[in-house]
Amino acid sequence: MNHYAVWGNPIAQSKSPRIHQLFGEQTQKSISYLAKLGDEQNFEQQLRQFFAEGAKGANITAPFKERAFALADCHSESCLLAEACNTLKRLDDGRLYADNTDGVGLVADLARSGWLEKGQKVLILGAGGATKGVLFPLLKADQQITLYNRTAEKAVSLAEKFAKFGKIQTACLDEIAQSSFDLIINATSLGLQGRYVELPPALFKEAKVYDMQYAVGMATPFLNYARSQGAKFCQDGLGMLVGQASFAFQLWEDVLPDMESVLQQLKLEMESAK
């Protein structure tokens, strides 16, 4: 049996153990997968001990993604560009390989929903770690990206870093008001405080709206706001969560699970637990 865990702080709310249990059942792989509370002072020591005891892999969530990135011995291209790691794999020689599957998870969820068209215009709100983690796969999927961030300098810095991979630019609110988009993605963490970025209402008339966060049994604050402004098509980040997990599972177990059936099962369980 291969042993895995997700590390974060807090971690009790994590859906990852259930998702990977369902993946294991679906693919007939014998795995154990636990939620582990990382200690702010001793996280690196905890992680080294976890792998020293024979674990094959780990998922990493807030606030440890950058620290896991620094701890790893080698990295995927996505991980290097994101400068953060959400998946670790212990290689046969004992080294730790770091990947970031957030972006491919998002792209997979957009494709699953029929929301991934080549060359479509995408507005991304925020220029923090969540945005940095998804830009490379989105640009590889031929998305034309506009970044908006309250602190413009952060958006400009990200756009410059990723410009060699595709079409990416920044815009202020006035410029956004003169534009139209096929897809609006909220990559800010404002929803955790019940807040959201306010945008010109006309933007929501045609655009599909995606929030990288999800809320159990309800819409996120940003999706509630988008609907109040006339948005017809809204989706939260639960599918992205399942998507990133499926690519982590593939890295560890060499098989890509079907995310759709697991996503539907998860939704069913979350509804019945309300």
Side-chain angles (χ1 to χ4, degrees), residues 137-151:
L138 284 171
L139 289 167
K140 278 179 69 177
D142 197 22
Q143 306 299 285
Q144 298 182 25
I145 293 172
T146 299
L147 296 178
Y148 169 71
N149 192 61
R150 189 176 56 183
T151 308

Side-chain angles (χ1 to χ4, degrees), residues 22-23 26-27 242 246 255-263:
L22 291 169
F23 285 162
Q26 180 195 115
T27 59
V242 176
S246 71
V255 58
L256 183 65
D258 171 54
M259 62 178 283
E260 180 67 34
S261 59
V262 170
L263 177 59

Side-chain angles (χ1 to χ4, degrees), residues 18-261:
R18 179 58 177 150
I19 291 169
H20 284 277
Q21 180 189 5
L22 291 169
F23 285 162
E25 292 169 3
Q26 180 195 115
T27 59
Q28 297 183 308
K29 295 281 189 178
S30 179
I31 69 163
S32 74
Y33 188 108
L34 302 172
K36 297 274 195 177
L37 181 67
D39 181 82
E40 294 277 0
Q41 304 301 317
N42 302 307
F43 170 67
E44 287 80 2
Q45 186 181 334
Q46 286 180 309
L47 204 56
R48 285 195 187 96
Q49 183 66 25
F50 178 67
F51 282 107
E53 290 170 357
K56 188 176 179 183
N59 285 131
I60 311 294
T61 188
F64 299 121
K65 289 185 176 184
E66 288 80 10
R67 289 168 68 173
F69 174 85
L71 187 70
D73 302 295
C74 44
H75 308 76
S76 70
E77 186 175 16
S78 285
C79 194
L80 286 171
L81 288 165
E83 297 175 337
C85 154
N86 79 332
T87 305
L88 288 169
K89 178 180 180 178
R90 181 170 55 83
L91 302 177
D92 291 340
D93 60 9
R95 291 181 303 153
L96 290 183
Y97 174 77
D99 200 358
N100 191 312
T101 64
D102 286 332
V104 287
L106 171 61
V107 169
D109 193 36
L110 293 173
R112 179 194 66 82
S113 308
W115 285 21
L116 193 70
E117 301 287 340
K118 279 196 170 185
Q120 71 181 354
K121 293 166 70 179
V122 180
L123 173 64
I124 299 182
L125 308 176
T131 298
K132 198 188 294 187
V134 301
L135 283 179
F136 180 54
L138 284 171
L139 289 167
K140 278 179 69 177
D142 197 22
Q143 306 299 285
Q144 298 182 25
I145 293 172
T146 299
L147 296 178
Y148 169 71
N149 192 61
R150 189 176 56 183
T151 308
E153 291 79 10
K154 284 186 74 176
V156 169
S157 175
L158 267 193
E160 289 173 350
K161 178 178 178 178
F162 285 88
K164 60 186 172 186
F165 301 111
K167 288 194 71 173
I168 182 168
Q169 63 182 10
T170 64
C172 64
L173 267 183
D174 288 345
E175 292 166 329
I176 288 171
Q178 308 302 315
S179 307
S180 64
F181 299 92
D182 302 298
L183 175 65
I184 299 171
I185 298 176
N186 177 40
T188 74
S189 58
L190 291 174
L192 297 174
Q193 295 96 44
R195 297 158 56 216
Y196 48 81
V197 178
E198 293 190 21
L199 296 172
L203 288 184
F204 292 105
K205 295 294 183 281
E206 301 299 329
K208 299 178 178 69
V209 181
Y210 191 100
D211 195 338
M212 284 168 60
Q213 295 188 332
Y214 69 92
V216 178
M218 66 187 83
T220 65
F222 182 70
L223 293 184
N224 277 329
Y225 164 68
R227 288 197 181 102
S228 76
Q229 301 301 304
K232 298 182 184 71
F233 303 102
C234 296
Q235 188 171 313
D236 71 14
L238 188 64
M240 176 182 170
L241 177 71
V242 176
Q244 62 81 26
S246 71
F247 288 102
F249 191 92
Q250 181 186 40
L251 180 67
W252 299 328
E253 294 288 337
D254 298 318
V255 58
L256 183 65
D258 171 54
M259 62 178 283
E260 180 67 34
S261 59

